[in-house]
Each structure stands twice: as structure tokens, then as C-alpha cells.
Amino acid sequence: AASGPRTRDAALEGRDRVEFLLDVDRDYRTAFRLVCDERGWTFESSADDPAWNPTWYVAAARDDDTWTIEAAIAWDQLVRSPPLPGTIWALGVQRIAPGQGGQSWTGAPIATTAAAGTAGPTRRAQSVLSPGIFGWIRFE
């Protein structure tokens, strides 16, 4: 395994990954996207702008059958102050496993699109989640 700092906004296509999408103001148009693959490499964007580079922390582990991540981000990277009890955010969580498809916490479909590869067309799973179909999380 490589040591040292991970590259920001790594190209994660073709990697087994999980995506967390947070619509903190519930405008149902924009969201923070935090993506992590099985190696612990990350990508993030805000309102589809990859220039957003928050400070967040990821630990990853894997064995022959599974992989896990633990991720943390400070409130001030997402909002000005921690949410008060009763605050509701919209949340989308999905896993994309290339060659296998995807799974979404909300049950939304994960599209499989054709992409040209060096060995001819390949199938690639990509996100189709939009904030309008996210679930909700309520802070207590």
C-alpha cells in the first residue's frame, strides 16, 4: 500500500466506492458530495463544483471479502454552526461497484452507461441521485 498523503479529488471511476450526498439547506437542487473508495481515496464537490476541498478524515480497511471506511468531517466544513435539535437535512447514500452495479439507500436506481474503453465499450455505473429523491436525517 502507498504511504503519504492521498491525492485530492482522485479519479475514482472504476473503483468500488461509497458516496454521501448532503443537502443541508434542503433546496433539493444542490448538495455536498463526499466520495470514498475501498483504498480510502477521496473525491468531494459542492453543487457539482470539485473546487470545494473540505478538511475531512478517512480511515479504510479491507480483507479478501470486505472493505470498510470510517469518515469524519467537522460541522464547520458544511455549515456555520452545528444543527439544532429538530433540524432536518436531506441525505443520499449510495455504493457503486463497477461491473456489479450500485445500491442506493433511498432505493433510487443507479444508471449503467456505456463508455468507450481501450478494449471496446464497457459498462460503467454512475450516480443518478439528485437531492429531490434523498431521504431525510433529523438531528435530536
Side-chain angles (χ1 to χ4, degrees):
S3 61
R6 293 182 268 254
T7 303
R8 258 209 196 272
D9 296 335
L12 304 181
E13 295 80 15
R15 291 290 187 170
D16 196 356
R17 61 196 183 275
V18 64
E19 299 187 357
F20 300 93
L21 300 105
L22 295 162
D23 181 358
V24 299
D25 62 3
R26 285 188 20 225
D27 67 358
Y28 300 107
R29 294 181 298 118
T30 60
F32 294 112
R33 179 181 302 260
L34 299 163
V35 186
C36 186
D37 73 8
E38 81 277 5
R39 302 167 297 176
W41 290 27
T42 61
F43 175 87
E44 60 277 322
S45 65
S46 174
D48 293 324
D49 179 0
W52 178 64
N53 289 315
T55 299
W56 62 306
Y57 304 92
V58 174
R62 64 190 292 180
D63 61 28
D64 291 339
D65 300 318
T66 61
W67 62 275
T68 60
I69 63 158
E70 180 178 344
I73 187 168
W75 293 117
D76 67 2
Q77 300 297 295
L78 302 170
V79 290
R80 291 183 185 185
S81 59
L84 298 172
T87 299
I88 298 173
W89 290 0
L91 171 69
V93 180
Q94 64 185 0
R95 176 184 177 209
I96 298 174
Q100 305 295 315
Q103 301 165 313
S104 169
W105 170 64
T106 61
I110 306 296
T112 303
T113 59
T118 56
T122 61
R123 305 298 286 175
R124 180 177 69 202
Q126 74 186 62
S127 167
V128 294
L129 281 186
S130 69
I133 59 172
F134 288 1
W136 288 357
I137 56 172
R138 179 184 166 107
F139 295 90
E140 296 297 327

